[in-house]
Amino acid sequence: MVSIKTKEEILLMREAGRITALAHEAVANAIKPGITTKQLEEVAEQVIRSCGAIPAFKGEDGFPANICTSINDEIVHGIPCLTKLENGDIISVDIGANYKGYFGDCAKTHPVGVISLEAKQLLEVTQQSLFEGLKMVKPGNRLGDISHAIQTYAEKYGYSIPIEYGGHGIGSELHEEPHISNVGDANTGITLKEGMCLAIEPMLICGKPHTRVLKDGFTVVSKDHTLSAHFEHTVLVTKEGYEILTTLPK
Ligand code: MG
């Protein structure tokens, strides 16, 4: 069952999303060559806790840290550590916040210093593939419309998609039904309804789609070690379309 949020739940989802976005903003401002991913984790945790929320990822399937930090060929679920970011790296930061039992989930990939044109295009296309997916979010459309839009846009640029990973419903659980694949056919899957909350999160790879999990048991890398990027927003399905919850009010 895909849950439909009540008005009260939507208020909590908005606040969870806002806190997640605030943490992202602070982390984005801290990213520079020489900083460690552990320091970025501390920045995010401080913001989340100062807002009365709890970092959502720690303990999720045994994940040992408050946020995920995935560098270069790391796709998702990287563990913050003492590795220093270097000029030319790209870093994917995935942050979740639990506010009074409701979750926000958001990921962004950032350049560190000056990056290659190859990396820059990967970031742009991955972010735009998220927005291509979001354009499909409205009542009456189907889940596969989102997947198909992401896949079509990514493949137009020659990127591949690791099919083992995807988005999800979100609410009083971090991961709820449905699973949202980043590949699929239009006009398939469940029909979207007002009040659903979805975390949509394309991950794209420059090379082949195959992945491998490192010995730490969590970090997923591209098997051919080509660059990967990840963008995610938590959205509410509205009467007209969607509202991005993991963003800051203008
Ligand atoms: Mg997610």
Side-chain angles (χ1 to χ4, degrees):
M1 263 296 287
V2 180
S3 64
I4 302 292
K5 272 68 180 175
T6 64
K7 275 199 180 117
E8 293 72 27
E9 288 180 307
I10 288 167
L11 292 177
L12 294 170
M13 290 295 293
R14 270 201 195 104
E15 186 58 10
R18 190 187 71 84
I19 293 166
T20 307
L22 266 179
H24 260 291
E25 183 183 62
V27 169
N29 289 334
I31 287 174
K32 59 178 182 201
I35 197 164
T36 68
T37 49
K38 184 86 192 149
Q39 285 173 298
L40 297 180
E41 181 193 25
E42 286 161 9
V43 167
E45 182 180 9
Q46 199 272 327
V47 172
I48 291 168
R49 292 198 189 279
S50 74
C51 294
I54 304 165
F57 296 163
K58 197 166 205 167
E60 182 76 14
D61 292 325
F63 190 74
N66 291 306
I67 66 171
C68 302
T69 52
S70 309
I71 302 171
N72 296 332
D73 64 334
E74 297 171 356
I75 304 166
V76 283
H77 307 160
I79 303 168
C81 64
L82 298 177
T83 301
K84 286 181 178 164
L85 297 182
E86 291 178 22
N87 185 51
D89 283 344
I90 57 172
I91 176 162
S92 301
V93 179
D94 196 347
I95 301 177
N98 170 350
Y99 179 73
K100 297 186 179 170
Y102 286 82
F103 288 86
D105 191 1
C106 180
K108 294 174 197 288
T109 304
H110 300 275
V112 181
V114 182
I115 61 171
S116 67
L117 284 176
E118 180 201 19
K120 192 163 175 278
Q121 183 186 282
L122 173 69
L123 265 51
E124 286 167 1
V125 173
T126 309
Q127 183 169 37
Q128 188 57 37
S129 75
L130 168 59
F131 284 96
E132 295 299 315
L134 290 180
K135 283 180 195 168
M136 295 297 131
V137 178
K138 62 176 166 193
N141 274 8
R142 296 176 70 177
L143 200 63
D145 298 336
I146 300 172
S147 311
H148 181 71
I150 291 170
Q151 179 181 8
T152 306
Y153 190 79
E155 290 181 349
K156 193 165 85 183
Y157 289 87
Y159 295 119
S160 54
I161 298 167
I163 55 166
E164 306 93 309
Y165 304 95
H168 48 95
I170 181 167
S172 58
E173 307 270 356
L174 179 60
H175 297 114
E176 296 187 353
E177 285 184 56
H179 172 73
I180 307 172
S181 178
N182 292 315
V183 300
D185 295 324
N187 214 20
T188 62
I190 62 153
T191 300
L192 304 180
K193 293 197 179 104
E194 187 180 352
M196 288 179 175
C197 286
L198 307 172
I200 300 173
E201 49 179 321
M203 295 143 230
L204 304 188
I205 303 174
C206 284
K208 297 216 162 60
H210 311 115
T211 65
R212 190 164 69 84
V213 178
L214 296 186
K215 280 205 191 87
D216 64 25
F218 292 97
T219 311
V220 181
V221 300
S222 59
K223 217 168 187 176
D224 59 11
H225 296 297
T226 54
L227 293 177
S228 176
H230 179 204
F231 282 84
E232 173 183 31
H233 271 308
T234 298
V235 301
L236 166 71
V237 182
T238 62
K239 199 181 226 159
E240 309 293 328
Y242 64 92
E243 175 187 334
I244 297 178
L245 301 177
T246 39
T247 193
L248 297 175
K250 293 244 164 70

